[in-house]
Amino acid sequence: GRQVSASRFWSKTRVEGGCLVWTASRYPSGYGSFGADGRVWRAHRWIFYRVTGLLPQSVLHTCDNPACVKLQHLEAGTQATNRRDAANKGRLPCGEGHPHAKLTWQQVRDIRQRHIDGENQRSLAKRFGVGRTTVQCILDHKTWKE
């Protein structure tokens, strides 16, 4: 049961830098994969749950190493805190790199300059084929941060 799973878990790790890295099966995203308790877990989530008894929406890596299972590098979070953390660390596609981007960086610069020159948001939205809310976000630098 519990002890067999824990000893099997730790046998699949090794110290690497300051992290405790998962050496067995991994998902394409780099997270460890561990079968226990009748299901397959992300390794860092299983050990976090085993030790703390908590199963939060997200278990964040303070070390930014998805293969790490060191308890001191893991903390409970929500999907929102996980997305915010990823965005702050530059791990989310943004601007032209986002698969749903409709504008280029040059178009964003043009929108900002045209607005400074007096063109209104409604006109800019129509000219560039985006919603007025998108124009507002660009002007407020809420999206398309450089």
Side-chain angles (χ1 to χ4, degrees):
R2 278 185 181 293
Q3 283 314 111
V4 173
S5 291
S7 60
R8 191 167 61 84
F9 181 91
W10 295 120
S11 75
K12 298 173 186 290
T13 63
R14 80 165 172 268
V15 175
E16 207 172 277
C19 294
L20 186 61
V21 175
W22 186 253
T23 59
S25 176
R26 290 190 200 175
Y27 292 97
S29 57
Y31 294 100
S33 171
F34 183 64
D37 307 321
R39 62 178 266 210
V40 178
W41 297 74
R42 284 188 175 200
H44 69 290
R45 287 183 61 77
W46 185 84
I47 197 60
F48 189 87
Y49 172 66
R50 265 295 167 250
V51 172
T52 66
L54 303 172
L55 198 52
Q57 265 186 346
S58 294
V59 176
L60 310 178
H61 286 86
T62 58
C63 59
D64 286 334
N65 180 353
C68 182
V69 294
K70 186 173 183 174
L71 290 165
Q72 296 87 336
H73 292 184
L74 304 176
E75 62 184 31
T78 62
Q79 286 176 321
T81 57
N82 197 21
R83 297 283 298 174
R84 193 164 37 253
D85 182 54
N88 289 341
K89 292 173 178 169
R91 288 196 311 264
L92 295 182
C94 132
E96 289 179 45
H98 193 284
H100 300 294
K102 293 180 180 159
L103 299 170
T104 64
W105 285 110
Q106 188 54 55
Q107 288 173 308
V108 168
R109 288 185 203 98
D110 288 349
I111 287 170
R112 289 176 178 154
Q113 188 57 54
R114 285 172 182 272
H115 188 258
I116 289 167
D117 294 343
E119 190 168 344
N120 70 41
Q121 291 181 26
R122 187 177 320 280
S123 170
L124 288 166
K126 188 172 181 178
R127 177 189 301 276
F128 289 91
V130 295
R132 205 193 61 71
T133 306
T134 299
V135 172
Q136 182 67 57
C137 286
I138 288 168
L139 297 175
D140 291 344
H141 294 265
K142 288 184 179 169
T143 56
W144 292 87
K145 292 177 171 55
E146 292 184 66

